[in-house]
Amino acid sequence: MSRCAPVSLIYPGLSFQGGSPWRKKKRKWSQSAATFKGFGSEQSAIATTARRLFKQLRQAPGETILALRELATQHPDCPEVFETLAEVYTLTKNSEQHQAACERLAELQPRRADVQFRLASAYVENQRMMLGLLALRQFQRDFPNSTQHDTVQNLIDNLEPYMAAWLDGSGLGSEERCEEIAALHERTLSAVNREQFAAACEYAEASLAIKPDFITGLNNLSIAEWYRGNLERAQACAAQALAIDPDNLHARGNQIRYWVLAGERDRAHAAALKLLDLDQPAPDRWVKIAETFAFLSEPELILTAYERAQTTDAEEKDSLVLKHLAAYAHCKLGNLTQARQLWEQVIDEAPNRLAQQNYEDLLKPASDRRGPWALALNQWVPQPLRDLLQSAVRQLMNYPDTDPDALEAEIKAAVQSQFATSGLLPIAPRMLRDGGPDSHKFLFAIARLAKSSELWELITDYALSDHGPDLPRMEAAQTAVQAGALPSGEVSLWVEGKQRPILMMAMTIDDEVDAEPHPPDVERLVIDALNNLRASEYEAAIPLLLEAQALKPEADDIEFNLASSYLLTGRRDEGCKLLETIHARNPDYPNAAIALAQLHIQDKDLDAADALLRPLLARPRLHFEVFSQLCNAEVELAIAHRSEDALNSWLSMWERVYPEDPRLEVWQDSLEDAIAAD
């Protein structure tokens, strides 16, 4: 399945005597390596690097492919690199990228017969039959004395009548340049699959320059223009195709897709239902229909398309795209076994990131799932906005020597400008509900950079809804709190089918101390007092702290430790009065507020305790020791309120931030004992 899931070209029923000549056994590296011919020490070093990377393929396929692609970018004229890439893409079953590697290799080594034959093979394996036929003919002209001459001619003899029939069926048979148009069509498809949308538009426009009423060319141009961010041009191409043939399935499907992306769901839904009744034959008919229903999030109708393909279309029933969409629909409807089986079939057949992500998500516990999702981010958002965001993130993470604030302002202005014309708002609710983790991350990042209150409102609405899995909605809520779109504190979220108060905070926990340093003589007194407190010698700490207070009056930390000493020695009234003095003088000093809240909890004045603790949840940062004190007080308050949800939430958060705190262990042990006693 292609990353972009464009309209693809399928040639059903083509077969060869003795089986397909393209499906040969995979060659071992030693055979492939024998073709490397170095041109000096640098070329040999590059070839050695390529071979070394190839050997890492089994252990780290993703990293190996990225490294080889980077090597190809750095050395675009090195055939060894592209031969290695072709070998890798063969083993990883990536037919589109295998074709791309073979094309570059053929450009670099036009006089190698094996390379040119491999290119023809790559075209046919990737269902680019006209390009394959043209490449085979070129092979006969360039290598008339090749030992493969008879084999190649047999392949040509099989392909020519097949392609002639296809050209007649597509309305191109009477065109003088029909083969050229078909080849441009196939190049358009490959360019879209590789996300080379400018090139795709050029190929499509070239085919239309030859035949202006070529509907397939209009459909290709329509989808390529949308990916480039030209929605109006995309819609115009779809309308032009429908003016020529009102029942053209792909033109209708594209038009419906654009309506969905513009937020016109009702209009799109009514038109999509009519697709099931179209009798006009079309390549990838059921894939197109199922994908259209995926944009509308209609799992029952996706399965209708899938089931009809199983009974009416021998070729399309095994489509990996269709199987993925059917798996999504089954998962959405709760048929998890069927979903798992279909995704396993897709993954076994060819690498597919979308199916792999969904499959891995399905294997997780229900509480940790994010899906399912049918469509990739690039099917929701055109390329310019995605590229702009990626560029913005890279620049923000790697500030140059220039003013970082100015750079950030410049980037945000660019994102805001692009966002304003992107048409993203109408489709954002559907992306949140059905777009998957990549779509969520994209929307959150755009909302931050574009500072769009409308988008944050949509994210907040989704977070507070009961739609879909719990985890992505909780992440949306946390993101909204961090951005200030939701207030910190308890937020009522739907969890496991019930509304529950969930604690959300946008707070940094660190070890930075805010207190200003004391003069040396005061600091010595404070240190000695703290040592006494740690040794439980509370009475001994009091005179030291009183002396420090006299030398430096109204120091919050000194007076707080003095108040704590009073409380620990039973002088509650003095301790409470001093805490109130500190809090009245400096309400932002968290230690005093927490200690006062604990006193109110002891006195059963829970409202007063809550009033003291709530403001702390909105703080941008806290020292980890202070946060631990806050957790301790909130646990006491949750127990006093008999709120199990709040208790578990605070204990869980405490354990994540400061798991070695002995007070946490005491609470956990006492609660376990209480549970055992019950």
Side-chain angles (χ1 to χ4, degrees), residues 85-158:
L85 267 176
E87 206 57 51
V88 165
Y89 287 129
T90 296
L91 294 174
T92 56
K93 301 179 182 179
N94 190 328
S95 58
E96 190 64 69
Q97 293 302 327
H98 175 246
Q99 174 187 316
C102 288
E103 286 173 337
R104 181 57 183 158
L105 185 60
E107 291 173 359
L108 294 172
Q109 297 184 324
R111 300 309 304 168
R112 273 184 58 182
D114 62 323
V115 167
Q116 301 304 319
F117 184 79
R118 184 171 190 173
L119 174 60
S121 303
Y123 283 138
V124 178
E125 285 283 3
N126 198 29
Q127 292 289 299
R128 308 296 184 242
M129 300 297 194
M130 181 55 72
L131 291 173
L133 176 58
L134 296 176
L136 289 170
R137 289 174 179 166
Q138 187 65 43
F139 182 93
Q140 294 295 68
R141 291 192 292 270
D142 291 345
F143 308 103
N145 300 318
S146 169
T147 57
Q148 293 179 299
H149 184 277
D150 292 343
T151 299
V152 171
Q153 189 58 50
N154 179 58
L155 299 174
I156 292 173
D157 292 342
N158 276 277

Side-chain angles (χ1 to χ4, degrees), residues 142-363:
D142 291 345
F143 308 103
N145 300 318
S146 169
T147 57
Q148 293 179 299
H149 184 277
D150 292 343
T151 299
V152 171
Q153 189 58 50
N154 179 58
L155 299 174
I156 292 173
D157 292 342
N158 276 277
L159 275 172
E160 284 184 333
Y162 178 86
M163 288 309 303
W166 183 87
L167 290 169
D168 287 339
S170 62
L172 293 175
S174 60
E175 293 292 324
E176 181 180 353
R177 299 166 67 182
C178 58
E179 291 187 350
E180 183 180 355
I181 295 172
L184 286 168
H185 165 60
E186 293 180 357
R187 291 199 182 281
T188 306
L189 297 179
S190 287
V192 170
N193 282 356
R194 300 172 195 172
E195 294 198 340
Q196 298 169 349
F197 302 120
C201 289
E202 291 178 5
Y203 290 133
E205 287 168 345
S207 69
L208 291 168
I210 301 171
K211 184 175 173 57
D213 62 348
F214 181 40
I215 293 180
T216 301
L218 285 168
N219 288 335
N220 290 339
L221 183 58
S222 175
I223 201 69
E225 288 288 9
W226 180 84
Y227 279 119
R228 291 182 74 188
N230 300 328
L231 179 59
E232 289 186 8
R233 181 87 192 279
Q235 291 173 322
C237 291
Q240 188 177 346
L242 289 170
I244 299 170
D245 181 4
D247 291 331
N248 185 268
L249 173 66
H250 287 282
R252 276 202 186 185
N254 290 341
Q255 186 180 62
I256 292 167
R257 174 181 181 171
Y258 304 146
W259 286 339
V260 172
L261 296 174
E264 299 181 64
R265 189 183 188 283
D266 292 341
R267 183 184 187 187
H269 188 270
L273 292 175
K274 298 177 182 178
L275 295 180
L276 293 169
D277 299 325
L278 285 180
D279 293 329
Q280 187 184 79
D284 280 354
R285 175 187 181 187
W286 297 110
V287 170
K288 188 68 175 182
I289 292 173
E291 183 189 66
T292 302
F293 288 134
F295 275 103
L296 290 161
S297 190
E298 291 285 358
E300 294 92 345
L301 293 173
I302 292 173
L303 289 180
T304 297
Y306 175 72
E307 289 159 3
R308 291 196 186 181
Q310 303 308 299
T311 57
T312 63
D313 196 316
E315 291 292 323
E316 211 174 341
K317 70 182 181 68
D318 293 325
S319 163
L320 300 183
V321 179
L322 195 55
K323 284 184 177 180
H324 160 68
L325 293 174
Y328 155 80
H330 275 303
C331 193
K332 196 80 172 175
L333 295 172
N335 307 325
L336 304 187
T337 300
Q338 294 93 320
R340 177 179 54 77
Q341 291 172 346
L342 285 168
W343 274 321
E344 285 175 348
Q345 292 176 31
V346 174
I347 295 167
D348 288 344
E349 183 68 22
N352 183 294
R353 182 171 180 263
L354 200 55
Q356 185 73 41
Q357 286 179 325
N358 273 277
Y359 177 71
E360 291 174 358
D361 185 71
L362 181 58
L363 297 181

Side-chain angles (χ1 to χ4, degrees), residues 11 52 78 144 156 178 295 338 398-399 406 496 560 563 572 637:
Y11 298 88
R52 176 178 55 78
C78 180
I156 292 173
C178 58
F295 275 103
Q338 294 93 320
N398 301 284
Y399 283 130
E496 297 178 350
F560 173 75
R572 192 178 194 276
L637 184 61

Side-chain angles (χ1 to χ4, degrees), residues 34 47 89 153 168 183 243 269 344 405 431 436 460 508 511 534 592 609 632:
Y89 287 129
Q153 189 58 50
D168 287 339
H269 188 270
E344 285 175 348
D405 292 334
M431 288 178 64
T460 300
T508 299
D511 59 357
R534 294 189 185 101
N632 188 67

Side-chain angles (χ1 to χ4, degrees), residues 391-411:
S391 174
V393 171
R394 282 196 298 269
Q395 292 183 70
L396 289 171
M397 291 177 64
N398 301 284
Y399 283 130
D401 294 333
T402 55
D403 181 4
D405 292 334
L407 175 62
E408 183 172 356
E410 179 183 341
I411 290 170

